[in-house]
Amino acid sequence: KAGVTQTPRYLIKTRGQQVTLSCSPISGHRSVSWYQQTPGQGLQFLFEYFSETQRNKGNFPGRFSGRQFSNSRSEMNVSTLELGDSALYLCASSLDSNEKLFFGSGTQLSVL
Amino acid sequence: QKEVEQDPGPLSVPEGAIVSLNCTYSNSAFQYFMWYRQYSRKGPELLMYTYSSGNKEDGRFTAQVDKSSKYISLFIRDSQPSDSATYLCAMSGSGSARQLTFGSGTQLTVLP
């Protein structure tokens, strides 16, 4: 069974630009969550989607948004990039609530 | 004060040693407790998943949860150089949303 797939693996952007990251969950998993990982703050929850609906949102500004498609694939968008947005963005999928969460390898975003 | 506290290490042990990793938490609503292993430039890999208090064993790994003390542990027996990684504790409450709160991670090196 294929794991969680995230694309692209690496991204370099400049301040003010926007970026879209993609995530394909494990087949059959309906919940997709996004996390930001930085050396200073560690892993922080961004949001969770289930059946195309955002079910929970972390404490991030509105520049961070996401969506989920009918095939459970998800995208995350960051607008007006800031230097502090440089991080590893991780996507995780699970069958449903209170199920085990499986992570992808992440997208490493660098904002210059 | 963070909801989940984890000693960042680094921790260095000889091959074959027993490793003990720990986290404390303050939120009594946490019901699900996990340990993840993360290699450099990879996503977290789920090692152990425990609901409520008690012990769980899987091969060389044992997870312990003491909800009365708000303390969780991961023991690694017969440690191997391939166990060298960052270990993250994570926890979440019950309910419909899947939001993990992570510790900051402990960097472990097992010396051959």
Side-chain angles (χ1 to χ4, degrees):
Chain A
K1 204 177 206 182
V4 177
T5 304
Q6 291 189 247
T7 57
R9 190 72 178 89
Y10 301 95
L11 263 179
I12 299 176
K13 293 285 185 179
T14 57
R15 278 182 302 174
Q17 287 187 309
Q18 75 165 16
V19 67
T20 299
L21 313 181
S22 181
C23 172
S24 292
I26 293 171
S27 177
H29 285 194
R30 297 192 297 166
S31 170
V32 173
S33 302
W34 290 89
Y35 288 78
Q36 181 197 65
Q37 187 174 30
T38 60
Q41 298 297 319
L43 269 150
Q44 293 185 288
F45 173 77
L46 280 157
F47 29 66
E48 184 211 3
Y49 286 87
F50 182 83
S51 293
E52 303 178 64
T53 301
Q54 188 180 88
R55 200 154 57 170
N56 198 10
K57 190 178 191 315
N59 189 26
F60 278 82
R63 299 186 296 107
F64 292 82
S65 63
R67 58 178 177 168
Q68 187 180 31
F69 302 95
S70 58
N71 62 359
S72 293
R73 193 177 69 84
S74 177
E75 286 182 348
M76 186 191 118
N77 185 274
V78 188
S79 62
T80 320
L81 283 166
E82 300 177 0
L83 295 178
D85 296 333
S86 294
L88 179 66
Y89 289 90
L90 292 159
C91 170
S93 75
S94 63
L95 278 170
D96 200 343
S97 303
N98 302 327
E99 294 285 343
K100 298 173 183 179
L101 215 59
F102 297 92
F103 283 85
S105 292
T107 294
Q108 183 67 54
L109 172 65
S110 298
V111 182
L112 306 178
Chain B
Q1 188 182 356
K2 292 185 176 182
E3 273 190 298
V4 179
E5 298 281 356
Q6 184 176 7
D7 187 342
L11 181 62
S12 186
V13 301
E15 184 175 354
I18 297 175
V19 176
S20 173
L21 305 168
N22 310 294
C23 288
T24 60
Y25 64 95
S26 57
N27 189 343
S28 54
F30 288 145
Q31 298 283 341
Y32 297 87
F33 304 91
M34 289 133 276
W35 286 94
Y36 284 86
R37 177 174 63 192
Q38 187 174 24
Y39 294 111
S40 180
R41 284 192 276 275
K42 294 286 189 182
E45 171 195 8
L46 181 64
L47 283 176
M48 302 293 283
Y49 179 87
T50 311
Y51 172 70
S52 196
S53 285
N55 294 358
K56 186 172 184 178
E57 189 173 319
D58 185 1
R60 296 184 297 113
F61 299 92
T62 300
Q64 290 184 350
V65 175
D66 182 350
K67 289 190 69 181
S68 62
S69 302
K70 294 189 178 66
Y71 187 88
I72 71 170
S73 301
L74 176 71
F75 297 95
I76 307 174
R77 290 183 299 281
D78 187 25
S79 55
Q80 303 295 310
S82 58
D83 294 329
S84 299
T86 296
Y87 289 79
L88 298 147
C89 63
M91 42 200 84
S92 68
S94 59
S96 62
R98 200 76 180 98
Q99 176 176 348
L100 299 186
T101 300
F102 281 85
S104 56
T106 300
Q107 187 178 342
L108 171 68
T109 301
V110 181
L111 302 170

